[in-house]
Amino acid sequence: MQLRYAFRVYPDAGQRLALARAFGCARVVFNDAVRAREGARRAGQPFPTVAELSRKLITEAKRTAERSWLGEVSAVVLQQSLRDAETAYRSFFASLKGTRKGPRVGPPRFKSRKDNRQAVRFTANARWNITDSGRLNLPKIGAVKVKWSRTLPTVPTSVTVIKDAAGRYFASFVVDTDPASDQARMPATDRTVGIDLGLTHFAVLSDGTKIDSPRFLRRAEKKLKKAQRELSRKQKGSKNRDKARLKVARAHAKVADARREFHHQLSTQLISENQGIAVEDLSVAGLARTRLAKSVHDAGWSSFVDMLKYKAQRYGRTLVTIGRFEPTSQTCSTCGTVDGPKPLNVREWTCTTCGTVHDRDHNAAINVKQAAGLAASACEAPVRPGAVPAQREETGSHGFPTDARAA
């Protein structure tokens, strides 16, 4: 299973200039590839292959006066930029044919130096390495200081250097994990749990546990509004506007980092304590078009469920997703009577058949667990891990192993 481990890096002034040069060269090669293919499409000619683009846009372009500066960066960075363009076109064509999972994607667009995210990738051919002092040595950039929050489980196959909108630099390593060793580190358990995700409480478990919603965005709204107001008053193109934009980006990054950390801690805890987990397939895109849009985005249900998916796959747990049309909030978990829909302000209700008083969210979590078929584990029935597609998400700073982290 492939995962990404991201670490904060701190390049010095000269290394920041070298990275900016690499970002720019990779961006130019990507845009040239898109321009060449669009020109061939308009002319009715077949698309140039990757080998033809590599020869024309990299090898031959370095010999010209207009593109001679492409030789100042590693050739692997330029080759990977061409691969990114090829992948973008493959995804676009697969989306047109309907063979690609997920929402439809459009054709590749030109990249800009003002984009929120700049990235370059180094594969093993680039001969990058981690020095004995713990620095990341990159070709034509130098040894960059890295803040190691934990040890890498295996030798990485590639590294991507990323600069985000807040001006922070990260090194994202791709590693191949061993499922057998990962599952051996997990504590043995036969517990199962159903999860009802919501807004009043972020999650209510079938055992009655209620996890409050941190509401990171709501708590930071006052600071964000002030920073955005200051940005709107700055003159476009001025240095003060750039400083104000960075202030807004850092405020948003702080909210996103806190939310991601909360999701990682909670998902890791649930995976560690339970062999089987049941969640509901929520229509987040549909809920984001309602008056609850800001609260829905602030909760981040999709990213939390994605973390549960890849962690269940990695550590040998079972994750079951039930349909979004299952009437979990309308069904009595005691007798099974469907009591009809109820408005959101109704948090408790009494079953008209058996007279049981239900907490709306707790009852829904129990029904989620029963609909997933995990309630049988209460009779000591075995729960075996099923086939769940692994998600290649960037892991957070908290997770297994739980021992002391390496500096």
Side-chain angles (χ1 to χ4, degrees), residues 197 202 263 282-285 296 299-309 393:
L197 299 175
F202 177 79
H263 288 166
L282 297 174
S283 177
V284 178
V296 170
W301 295 327
S302 295
S303 62
F304 174 71
V305 174
D306 287 341
M307 290 179 187
L308 286 177
K309 286 181 180 179
E393 298 288 342

Side-chain angles (χ1 to χ4, degrees), residues 1-4 157 174-177 390-393:
M1 181 178 179
Q2 282 191 331
L3 289 175
R4 289 187 177 271
T157 58
V174 176
V175 297
D176 293 313
T177 60
Q391 301 292 324
R392 287 189 59 182
E393 298 288 342

Side-chain angles (χ1 to χ4, degrees), residues 286-362:
L287 292 171
R289 291 193 291 267
T290 65
R291 61 185 178 86
L292 302 174
K294 184 179 289 187
S295 298
V296 170
H297 287 304
D298 191 12
W301 295 327
S302 295
S303 62
F304 174 71
V305 174
D306 287 341
M307 290 179 187
L308 286 177
K309 286 181 180 179
Y310 86 79
K311 289 181 182 180
Q313 172 72 11
R314 181 180 183 184
Y315 298 111
R317 303 306 200 195
T318 300
L319 180 69
V320 182
T321 304
I322 68 171
R324 64 187 61 171
F325 298 108
E326 191 76 22
T328 56
S329 297
Q330 307 173 22
T331 306
C332 174
S333 59
T334 303
C335 64
T337 301
V338 180
D339 208 8
K342 301 165 185 62
L344 289 177
N345 61 342
V346 177
R347 309 315 301 174
E348 288 187 357
W349 58 280
T350 304
C351 178
T352 57
T353 302
C354 65
T356 306
V357 179
H358 292 293
D359 177 272
R360 179 192 184 109
D361 298 330
H362 183 207

Side-chain angles (χ1 to χ4, degrees), residues 140-180:
K140 297 190 177 181
I141 293 176
V144 184
K145 180 182 177 182
V146 183
K147 181 66 174 180
W148 299 103
S149 57
R150 54 182 171 168
T151 57
L152 292 170
T154 58
V155 178
T157 58
S158 68
V159 59
T160 303
V161 181
I162 304 167
K163 180 184 178 183
D164 64 2
R168 303 177 301 176
Y169 293 85
F170 296 89
S172 178
F173 298 91
V174 176
V175 297
D176 293 313
T177 60
D178 183 14

Side-chain angles (χ1 to χ4, degrees), residues 41-185:
R41 183 186 64 83
R42 293 192 185 95
Q45 300 175 354
F47 273 7
T49 63
V50 178
E52 295 173 350
L53 291 176
S54 177
R55 184 181 65 256
K56 180 179 178 181
L57 302 181
I58 298 178
T59 306
E60 296 179 359
K62 290 180 180 179
R63 303 187 184 118
T64 63
E66 295 81 7
R67 293 284 192 268
S68 59
W69 34 265
L70 290 177
E72 299 177 2
V73 301
S74 173
V76 175
V77 169
L78 308 180
Q79 293 291 344
Q80 293 301 311
S81 185
L82 283 182
R83 290 182 180 274
D84 291 341
E86 177 70 13
T87 301
Y89 272 105
R90 288 183 182 276
S91 300
F92 170 57
F93 292 138
S95 181
L96 288 180
K97 296 177 182 178
T99 57
R100 182 181 183 273
K101 296 181 181 180
R104 297 187 62 177
V105 296
R109 296 181 295 180
F110 293 115
K111 293 184 178 182
S112 171
R113 62 182 179 86
K114 297 182 179 180
D115 289 343
N116 292 333
R117 183 180 185 273
Q118 304 283 346
V120 290
R121 185 166 59 255
F122 298 88
T123 60
N125 295 334
R127 297 181 181 179
W128 60 272
N129 65 300
I130 300 175
T131 64
D132 295 336
S133 59
R135 289 179 175 256
L136 177 62
N137 192 16
L138 300 172
K140 297 190 177 181
I141 293 176
V144 184
K145 180 182 177 182
V146 183
K147 181 66 174 180
W148 299 103
S149 57
R150 54 182 171 168
T151 57
L152 292 170
T154 58
V155 178
T157 58
S158 68
V159 59
T160 303
V161 181
I162 304 167
K163 180 184 178 183
D164 64 2
R168 303 177 301 176
Y169 293 85
F170 296 89
S172 178
F173 298 91
V174 176
V175 297
D176 293 313
T177 60
D178 183 14
S181 61
D182 289 338
Q183 295 175 19
R185 297 204 309 269

